[in-house]
Amino acid sequence: MRALVLNDSLKLELVERARPAIAGSRDVLVRVYQTGVCGTDRSVLVGKFSAAHGVIMGHESVGEVAEIGVDVTNLAVGDRVIVNPTLYCGRCGPCLDERTNFCLNKVGTEVGIDRDGSYADYLVLEDRFLHRIPDGVSYDRAVLAEPLACVLNNLDAAHLTPGDWVILIGGGPIGLLCAMAARYLGSPVTVVERDEYRRKQALKLLTDIFPDGITVVSADGMTSLPPGPVVIDTVGNQLAFAVDLAAPAGTVVIMGYDSRAEINVQPLKILQRGLRIVGAGDFKGPHFLRAVALTARLPLEKLVTHHFPLEEHEAAFAALAVGTNQSYRALKVVIRSTTEDSE
Ligand SMILES: [Zn+2]
Ligand SMILES: [Zn+2]
């Protein structure tokens, strides 16, 4: 099969690999339809996050069941499925406490980072990490279920009271998914984004879906915002601004991943205003189920601006400002493994 593999110089290479085979009785062979490019993939290629050399990357994927192990009863050949790439053991303390993203046996199990992922024709996973796509939901919508699960976990961490105004720093795909989910749950939302192209896209996309309760401002506009009860930093290096934007007794959620960021914050600001600063990580098992269910109701596919075949992976990442001097020209980029035209 074809596969995009991370080489020693942190570049993706399209190679031929043996098709993975079902080994355990609960294993499922998935024919990959497509995979969303995650900010983490981008971070690996620009040296901000590490992944195993030689691994097939890609983890936000959807596809069709091609073969099942003898003990698989909840899925059948031909079912359309969403991959949950955050594997867990289900038996350790954190897993039994439903904090599966902090599983003690997680090392080496992250799909597309430590073990082979889905920028390929096929993928094998246990049945419990595959979820049937709700009827009528397109692959373009379903491919955003995994990032939506992250968003739901971070909104939960904010202890969002229905109607609470949410300020989102960053108008990339994760910021906009946060905006969609928070607005859907009843919160008015303000997105702060410094890039003009992304600001325009954000405003159009969000106001197309929601008739009211959405504002999009530039970084300059941020200074005139009144403080809000919930501020989410989807960039990962904006903690100092986030603290300044939070109202007394407010919550700041650190959501974006940036392994190089180090921030100066005045502790007194946190103390005097009684702020709560939290991180939530990616998602727990139950969030994934909620995200899959929500695909039936939120038009997530509006975030997808580009599709590329596996062969054009360089162009796919170039649209996200990797290996080029150009800035972002895309929101969500999706890499198709299938050669079929339509779904
Ligand atoms: Zn991801
Ligand atoms: Zn565990």
Side-chain angles (χ1 to χ4, degrees):
M1 69 169 187
R2 300 167 306 155
L4 282 181
V5 170
L6 183 69
N7 70 18
D8 288 343
S9 37
L10 295 187
K11 288 207 162 51
L12 286 175
E13 243 176 87
L14 188 65
V15 300
E16 274 297 315
R17 277 275 184 97
R19 181 196 286 195
I22 284 179
S25 65
R26 304 213 68 119
D27 279 354
V28 174
L29 176 72
V30 177
R31 189 165 71 94
V32 179
Y33 186 87
Q34 62 183 12
T35 303
V37 176
C38 173
T40 313
D41 300 337
R42 187 186 179 279
S43 294
V44 169
L45 300 186
V46 299
K48 282 207 276 181
F49 196 84
S50 65
H53 293 186
V55 78
I56 302 173
M57 289 188 66
H59 59 270
E60 297 178 3
S61 62
V62 289
E64 195 180 294
V65 172
E67 199 183 322
I68 55 174
V70 289
D71 289 330
V72 174
T73 50
N74 57 336
L75 291 169
V77 170
D79 279 352
R80 297 184 319 138
V81 288
I82 304 175
V83 168
N84 174 354
T86 302
L87 310 190
Y88 53 87
C89 75
R91 291 182 293 273
C92 70
C95 278
L96 292 174
D97 197 27
E98 287 197 340
R99 290 175 291 120
T100 54
N101 54 338
F102 300 119
C103 172
L104 298 178
N105 300 308
K106 193 171 156 64
V107 177
T109 66
E110 197 65 39
V111 172
I113 298 288
D114 319 299
R115 59 173 276 167
D116 283 342
S118 59
Y119 291 143
D121 290 318
Y122 291 90
L123 174 75
V124 167
L125 275 180
E126 254 182 78
D127 58 351
R128 65 195 173 114
F129 300 111
L130 296 167
H131 300 266
R132 202 178 282 109
I133 298 175
D135 288 346
V137 170
S138 69
Y139 277 132
D140 265 0
R141 186 182 286 197
V143 81
L144 283 146
E146 192 264 0
L148 180 62
C150 296
V151 161
L152 295 177
N153 183 29
N154 281 268
L155 289 178
D156 274 0
H159 293 179
L160 205 61
T161 304
D164 268 358
W165 176 36
V166 176
I167 300 175
L168 294 160
I169 302 180
I174 284 288
L176 297 186
L177 269 182
C178 268
M180 284 168 76
R183 187 74 198 93
Y184 179 77
L185 296 171
S187 288
V189 166
T190 295
V191 177
V192 182
E193 169 58 49
R194 61 173 190 186
D195 183 82
E196 200 190 341
Y197 168 80
R198 288 200 148 178
R199 251 192 337 267
K200 278 188 187 150
Q201 273 190 321
L203 188 66
K204 167 144 189 13
L205 184 143
L206 293 172
T207 51
D208 269 359
I209 307 169
F210 303 103
D212 57 23
I214 299 282
T215 44
V216 178
V217 299
S218 66
D220 298 338
M222 196 157 89
T223 49
S224 57
L225 285 180
V230 173
V231 184
I232 302 179
D233 171 17
T234 73
V235 183
N237 53 25
Q238 300 293 311
L239 181 61
F241 292 118
V243 163
D244 286 342
L245 285 171
T251 298
V252 171
V253 182
I254 304 165
M255 183 175 181
Y257 283 72
D258 186 340
S259 61
R260 294 190 295 200
E262 290 187 23
I263 309 290
N264 272 324
V265 178
Q266 275 184 288
L268 195 64
K269 286 184 181 173
I270 299 169
L271 181 158
Q272 282 185 323
R273 282 185 283 141
L275 301 183
R276 205 169 63 90
I277 298 185
V278 292
D282 44 12
F283 55 84
K284 304 165 193 169
H287 291 112
F288 206 86
L289 295 175
R290 277 168 60 197
V292 171
L294 263 184
T295 60
R297 282 177 236 126
L298 281 171
L300 308 171
E301 68 281 2
K302 287 178 184 283
L303 283 168
V304 178
T305 53
H306 294 71
H307 295 94
F308 294 93
L310 279 174
E311 287 74 14
E312 290 173 28
H313 57 96
E314 280 177 14
F317 281 92
L320 296 169
V322 179
T324 160
N325 295 326
Q326 286 179 302
S327 58
Y328 281 95
R329 282 168 292 128
L331 262 177
K332 194 69 183 179
V333 173
V334 169
I335 295 184
R336 285 222 161 124
S337 298
T338 183
T339 47
E340 289 159 24
D341 273 352
S342 62
E343 297 190 357

